[in-house]
Structures are given as structure tokens and as C-alpha cells.
Amino acid sequence: MNRTRPMLPYMVWMTIFIVVPLFLIVYYAFTSTEFNGVALTLDNFRRVFQPVYMKVLWRSVKLAVVSTAVCLFVGYPAALIMAGNAFSRKNTVIMLFVIPMWMNFLLRTYAWLTLLERSGFVNQFLARIGLPSLNILYTDSAVVLGMVYNFLPFMILPIYSVLSKIDRGVLEAAADLGANKVVTFLRVILPLSLPGVISGITMVFMPALTTFVISRLLGGGQYTLIGNLIEQQFLVVGDWGFGSAISMVMIILILISMAVMSFFEDGEEGRALW
Amino acid sequence: MTDQQLVHLVGVSKIYDGTPALKEIDLYIRRNEFLTLLGPSGCGKTTTLRLIGGFEQPTTGKILFDGRDISSIPPYKRRVNTVFQRYALFSHMNVFENIAFGLRIKKMDEKTIRAKVGKMLDLVNLTGFETRSVDSLSGGQQQRVAIARALVNEPEVLLLDEPLAALDLKLRREMQHELKNMQKQLGITFVFVTHDQEEALSMSDTIAVMKDGEIQQIGTPEDIYNEPRNAFVAGFIGESNIVDGVMHEDKVVEFAGQVFDCVDGGFGKMEPVDVVIRPEDVKLVQPEEAKLQGVVKSVTFIGVHYEMIVQAAGIDWLVHSTLMEPVGAKVGMLVAPMDIHIMKKVSFG
């Protein structure tokens, strides 16, 4: 009794903003509005699995995987350097990664739009030093760039948080037992940081899979990812049933990937960030 | 004699951010000896150990290992292994893999690794724990894994940094015995760091007492206990009464307002000295039988004997006796001349 009462506001909040919308999505996904009322149907799901939409889904998964991989390969060394730094300098480096996050996500993405334009800053710079111009705006590369730029902190911070918690004594123990720096990294630091890596991958992969703003701005009007598809169904086409069906497929996809992730994650460290 | 000196620290000092942690110490460690670095925290004992292990580089001086200067050799190339204070086990590996870590790096074949790890598990009484995760072990068991993980590499010197500090008293006693046995059995040189004087006395072949980055005295446990070189050593090793005195001439000392015979000499005439008397060397007698008379202020029974505070000549004397005198009783205190230890005054910053 005593413990349930303080929880009540949260329960109400969660019911209104999480449970009810989820039920609505399920409701719309499995029904269609006929002339004589509402009918149960699987038509919406049949449409999702049409080749044209599967292609969109596949492209979304592919770009999300590529962005996550790039974030990992850029973010891990960055986290490693940050964790290895002396305390005073550490905060400065962390701030450098965090400060851009204080700015609006849309603004940051718009900035890339102007930077990457045909006569934008990047191409002016390339022309100045005599290099051919770069025309990646409205391509996969630009979308991946936008995702990596926006989601990189979500990869770095969990990895950094796990790395900085590794006891220095453990690293000294490894050196004491004959491990040089490379061996210590491969056999001790890397395995100990896996919970952070998994947490980082999840935190980048999910928004990358569902984004529609980055793909719209940097991919151009015709560029469609799964997020754009859902947005269109709800806001442009008005087919809530189909939009809900795609949303459900995506939710299931995310649940599966999270299950796979938690299978690899046996430590508790990475979860601290959730 | 020289070939016995396995490790030799020559004029080694270590300065951290301008603060000296070690002041030009000279120390040699003989092969197969159990050497203990004993001192209060901040005395430089752990720094000394870390220098030998290679985790720190000396600011000045050099460290000779078998006659070769190893000052700049990284830890992973040294033939020494360490048991860390907080064990520093690899939490992502089970007991077997923790112990096998060093052997795998040396790329030994699986059969040899199994045999060696098996032997170590037997030595530390952990057979059957191979697949347990190290986090599921008790403190004492983790300690044993840490010891096995270091010993399996057959180091020439095993460094132990307060390895028993986190254990409860009973377990600590047990581990003291086991460590001492292992050291004898394996014939490995042990360098042991502790602030616990009892531990040092019971385990060591040699004790180096340290304070403020300097070695105060080095010798066998008996030497250190019976012939402490200065009041600090006397006070740190066992309990002592340390009082101010004045040397009248060789073998005659004045303290507590009386003149006593003693056995020490070589001091200047009327030189101020520290007089050290062990509490168990004070014999309580009838007041008229002794030069020093006092009143019993407190009595505590601590098992083997009574611990009494006797006030005499304005000084509180700690006395250990198997016979109890009640509080308020007038007593005389007798000390044999050979139990009156005279020490040169040293000033401690």
C-alpha cells in the first residue's frame, strides 16, 4: 500500500502516454474502416510485406547498421582516449562532445545541409586546396553522415562510462602477468567494456533506424526510410491503419534486436544508462 | 654473499609532484628470503614495492635484479609477480582463466596450462572452483585466486601489497600460515608489505621498518623487537614505554627522577636519550623493594595477562603482568638492567 501510492502518478502517466498509444497502434493496424463499420483485417500487414516497402525497410536497416558501425569505430577510440586522459583534461574533452548536444537537433542537421551544398562551405574549401568538389548531398552518404554526427555521443558516452570505471589495478595486474599494451587491450579492456559497447550500439541503432528528419533533410524529398514512410502515412496519406502496421513491424524489429543485444550483455554496467 | 642478493635498490628515491615518497633508500633482498616492509601508511613501503614491480620509475638511483639494472624495464618483462591489495582479479573470467592468464600470454599449450593451474588450485585449496566466477567468491577465496594467479608464473620474486588487509582476523591468521608455508615450499623470494607489526613479526625472515620514506631499521624480527634502533621502531614494533632520560656515564642512566644501571654505552656525558622499556619487562613488587613506586590506575584483563597502567613519577607506565594488582594499590616497579634500552634521540618531522 505504502509503496504503490507514490507510484500512482507515474502509473497514470505511463498509461496515458505509453500504454494507450500502443493499444491504438495495435487497434489501427488490425482493423480497417469499411462502409458499414470497423472490421478486423490483416490487409495492412500484407501491404507492409510488399517488395516496394520491404526495400524501404531493408534500406533503413542497412543505413542504421552502417551508421552504428561508423559510430562504433569512431566512438570507441574516442572513449578510450577520454578515459585514459588525465582528470583535468578529461572534462574538457567530454564537454567538446556534449556541447553540440545542447543545440537543437534540427539546427545541427540543417547546418550540414548548408555545409554540404554544391557551393557550400565544404566544397569552397575543397576548391581552395585544389580538390574536386564533393556532391554527397541527397545521397546515402549524406544521411549516414548526418546520423553519425547526431548519434555519435550516444555511442561514446556509455563506452566511456564503462571504460572509466575499469579499475587501474586490473590493468596493472595484466601488465604484471606479462601482457603488453596490445594484449592488455584485447584480453582485458575490450571484454570488460563490452556492456558499454552493447549499450552504445543499442542507443545509436534504434534512433538511426527510426529517424525521418535526417533522411528528409539530407536525403532530399524523394528519399524514403521506414521513418519517413510512417510519417507520410499518418500526416500526408492519412492511412492510419497502414502506418500503424509499419510501426508495429518496426517495434517488433527493435524488440528482436534488443533481445539479441541483451543476450550478449551479461554485465550490469551498460544498463546503468537506461 | 653477493650472488645471494637477488634484488638491490641502490640510492633509490621517488618524488611525486615535488613530495618525496622515498629518500635515497638502499635495500637488498636475498634469494628465498621473506622480507617485510613495515611501516605506517605513507611511509613509502608500497612505493618501494611498486618500484620493484615496475609500476613506477625511480626518480634517482637504480634497481638491480640479479646484478642487472631493471629500472626502465616495463612490468610485463620483469620476472616478478604481484598480489595486489584489492586483488584486481579479472571479473570477466572464471577462476581457471584468471590463473591461466599469464600462461596463455606465454602461449603455453593447453595440457601444460591445465596441469599448472591444477597444481596451483591444489596449493591454494581451491580445487573444484575452476568454473566459478570470481565475483561469486568470498574475500579469502579471491585472495587465494590472486596468489595462485601470480605464483603460477613461477616468479623469482613475489610482491605482496598488504594482501591480508581486507580479511577478518581469523582468516588473516590462517592465510599468514599458508603464505609462510607456500614460501618455504616453493622457495620463492617474498616481498611483503604491511602495517601490521604482528603479521610482520610472525612471518618474516627480515623486516625493514620504514617511516617518512626512509628505512629506520632492517633486521630479523628478533633483532627489531629486542634491539630497536630508535624510539620510533620501539614504539611501532610491540608496545613500549618510551620516556626521556639522561645518560650519566656508560651503563648509568637517569630517568623518572632516579638513577638506574643499564647495559648500554657510547653516549656523551649527560646526553639526553630515549629510554624504552617493554611492558612485559616491568616486574611489580612491594613498594619498598623498588626505586620506582607508583599507583595502579587501571586494570584490563586481555586474556594472556593483565594490562595495567601504573602512575609513577608523573608518568603513566604500561605494565603487562599475569598477577593482578587492584586499582589504587601502591606498587614498586623493577626493571632488569638489560631490559632498559637506551636510544639516541632523533627528531621526527
Side-chain angles (χ1 to χ4, degrees):
Chain A
M1 263 307 268
N2 282 341
R3 289 180 61 181
T4 49
R5 198 166 294 164
M7 274 182 66
L8 201 64
Y10 301 102
M11 301 293 275
V12 172
W13 175 276
M14 288 196 332
T15 309
I16 296 175
F17 292 103
I18 298 172
V19 180
V20 171
L22 274 177
F23 265 112
L24 284 177
I25 286 178
V26 174
Y27 171 79
Y28 281 114
F30 284 104
T31 56
S32 63
T33 321
E34 316 265 305
F35 53 87
N36 55 351
V38 175
L40 272 178
T41 177
L42 286 174
D43 276 353
N44 291 324
F45 287 95
R46 255 177 236 128
R47 269 182 77 195
V48 176
F49 291 105
Q50 280 172 4
V52 57
Y53 297 121
M54 288 315 280
K55 250 174 91 181
V56 172
L57 187 66
W58 166 242
R59 182 191 221 177
S60 305
V61 172
K62 193 179 73 183
L63 287 194
V65 167
V66 170
S67 309
T68 310
V70 174
C71 279
L72 182 60
F73 285 110
V74 175
Y76 198 101
L80 202 59
I81 292 165
M82 277 158 67
N85 249 328
F87 188 71
S88 53
R89 269 165 64 204
K90 199 147 71 179
N91 284 335
T92 325
V93 182
I94 295 170
M95 285 303 278
L96 284 178
F97 280 100
V98 172
I99 286 174
M101 292 174 74
W102 293 351
M103 268 176 273
N104 186 282
F105 165 79
L106 273 175
L107 285 180
R108 278 182 282 147
T109 310
Y110 266 114
W112 275 110
L113 197 59
T114 40
L115 284 175
L116 292 174
E117 266 174 357
R118 194 163 307 227
S119 56
F121 183 81
V122 171
N123 280 333
Q124 281 180 23
F125 178 74
L126 288 175
R128 184 76 52 87
I129 60 171
L131 285 173
S133 68
L134 190 69
N135 287 311
I136 61 163
L137 197 57
Y138 309 131
T139 66
D140 283 357
S141 309
V143 176
V144 169
L145 177 74
M147 289 190 192
V148 170
Y149 175 72
N150 278 308
F151 303 142
L152 187 60
F154 298 108
M155 181 64 82
I156 293 178
L157 292 177
I159 298 177
Y160 162 76
S161 124
V162 172
L163 282 177
S164 60
K165 269 187 237 151
I166 294 179
D167 180 9
R168 276 202 114 69
V170 172
L171 307 183
E172 288 188 345
D176 186 74
L177 294 165
N180 58 30
K181 291 216 158 91
V182 177
V183 175
T184 303
F185 175 75
L186 291 176
R187 297 218 177 168
V188 180
I189 299 177
L190 193 59
L192 282 176
S193 66
L194 273 189
V197 170
I198 284 164
S199 175
I201 288 175
T202 326
M203 289 179 73
V204 171
F205 182 74
M206 286 200 293
L209 184 62
T210 55
T211 184
F212 59 92
V213 174
I214 296 173
S215 45
R216 162 84 64 72
L217 292 178
L218 299 175
Q222 301 304 307
Y223 198 92
T224 310
L225 290 184
I226 190 93
N228 302 91
L229 201 57
I230 297 171
E231 187 209 7
Q232 278 164 23
Q233 297 310 313
F234 282 98
L235 300 181
V236 183
V237 185
D239 188 345
W240 286 33
F242 184 47
S244 299
I246 312 170
S247 301
M248 266 191 74
V249 168
M250 201 166 69
I251 290 171
I252 289 164
L253 209 67
I254 286 171
L255 286 179
I256 291 171
S257 59
M258 276 183 65
V260 172
M261 283 298 172
S262 63
F263 177 77
F264 285 110
E265 177 183 11
D266 40 14
E268 294 286 299
E269 303 269 2
R271 289 220 176 112
L273 263 144
W274 283 93
Chain B
M1 189 66 192
T2 42
D3 66 330
Q4 276 197 329
Q5 291 179 14
L6 186 56
V7 183
H8 196 162
L9 276 66
V10 190
V12 170
S13 57
K14 176 74 192 173
I15 298 168
Y16 291 111
D17 302 325
T19 320
L22 277 185
K23 298 168 189 163
E24 297 216 1
I25 65 161
D26 286 287
L27 173 71
Y28 63 84
I29 301 160
R30 287 193 224 102
R31 210 178 278 280
N32 299 345
E33 110 177 300
F34 194 123
L35 176 104
T36 297
L37 301 171
L38 174 68
S41 55
C43 72
K45 54 190 194 304
T46 296
T47 305
T48 310
L49 200 78
R50 290 175 62 79
L51 284 164
I52 301 172
F55 306 113
E56 308 281 354
Q57 262 73 55
T59 311
T60 65
K62 54 187 177 177
I63 299 164
L64 303 176
F65 192 97
D66 248 350
R68 233 160 31 92
D69 187 2
I70 58 160
S71 310
S72 55
I73 290 179
Y76 59 88
K77 287 185 183 162
R78 297 191 184 195
R79 287 172 298 173
V80 300
N81 286 112
T82 310
V83 177
F84 293 88
Q85 188 170 5
R86 279 173 299 125
Y87 319 143
L89 296 177
F90 304 123
S91 57
H92 59 296
M93 297 177 183
N94 62 23
V95 170
F96 183 94
E97 288 305 320
N98 261 280
I99 300 175
F101 189 86
L103 304 179
R104 292 214 188 279
I105 285 168
K106 291 190 197 111
K107 301 215 162 33
M108 287 190 179
D109 64 281
E110 195 59 33
K111 224 179 114 191
T112 320
I113 292 180
R114 293 213 160 271
K116 281 179 185 268
V117 174
K119 223 177 101 191
M120 272 306 137
L121 283 166
D122 191 41
L123 182 78
V124 298
N125 279 322
L126 281 178
T127 308
F129 282 74
E130 287 86 345
T131 54
R132 289 276 293 272
S133 95
V134 291
D135 289 332
S136 72
L137 302 181
S138 71
Q141 289 166 336
Q142 292 193 12
Q143 176 61 268
R144 287 158 206 261
V145 175
I147 292 168
R149 184 180 67 173
L151 280 178
V152 77
N153 302 290
E154 293 161 14
E156 294 199 46
V157 179
L158 184 72
L159 308 174
L160 302 107
D161 186 5
E162 306 220 21
L164 310 180
L167 305 182
D168 64 58
L169 187 65
K170 188 165 172 285
L171 203 54
R172 195 154 70 217
R173 288 274 155 76
E174 271 174 41
M175 286 303 294
Q176 285 172 8
H177 261 284
E178 285 182 37
L179 275 177
K180 186 69 195 167
N181 284 341
M182 278 180 217
Q183 191 254 341
K184 279 192 206 143
Q185 205 180 324
L186 300 169
I188 293 177
T189 309
F190 274 38
V191 181
F192 190 92
V193 160
T194 185
H195 61 263
D196 181 337
Q197 46 103 4
E198 236 176 280
E199 198 164 278
L201 290 173
S202 65
M203 297 171 82
S204 322
D205 298 320
T206 309
I207 298 176
V209 183
M210 299 183 70
K211 184 184 193 289
D212 296 337
E214 285 170 317
I215 294 178
Q216 303 293 325
Q217 186 172 4
I218 182 160
T220 64
E222 289 85 353
D223 284 349
I224 303 254
Y225 189 85
N226 293 331
E227 295 300 328
R229 187 187 288 164
N230 59 37
F232 171 76
V233 177
F236 198 76
I237 304 273
E239 289 170 302
S240 294
N241 295 294
I242 303 170
V243 298
D244 292 330
V246 174
M247 221 45 197
H248 281 206
E249 57 190 80
D250 278 3
K251 301 187 180 178
V252 179
V253 64
E254 183 198 327
F255 61 90
Q258 305 281 341
V259 178
F260 296 86
D261 290 335
C262 63
V263 294
D264 295 307
F267 297 90
K269 202 163 168 55
M270 299 308 280
E271 182 180 336
V273 290
D274 283 322
V275 178
V276 175
I277 297 168
R278 297 282 181 196
E280 66 272 23
D281 291 335
V282 179
K283 201 178 158 205
L284 294 182
V285 293
Q286 292 302 314
E288 54 278 11
E289 289 174 41
K291 278 185 185 168
L292 261 178
Q293 284 121 23
V295 178
V296 178
K297 276 180 70 186
S298 76
V299 181
T300 316
F301 179 61
I302 58 164
V304 199
H305 51 72
Y306 294 93
E307 202 174 271
M308 281 177 270
I309 310 272
V310 178
Q311 194 174 48
I315 299 163
D316 285 345
W317 301 82
L318 185 66
V319 178
H320 290 171
S321 168
T322 49
L323 299 172
M324 193 202 69
E325 296 286 346
V327 174
K330 276 197 167 349
V331 292
M333 295 194 291
L334 273 187
V335 185
M338 65 166 297
D339 290 329
I340 299 174
H341 306 286
I342 313 293
M343 276 148 216
K344 264 197 184 320
K345 283 243 182 230
V346 256
S347 55
F348 294 112

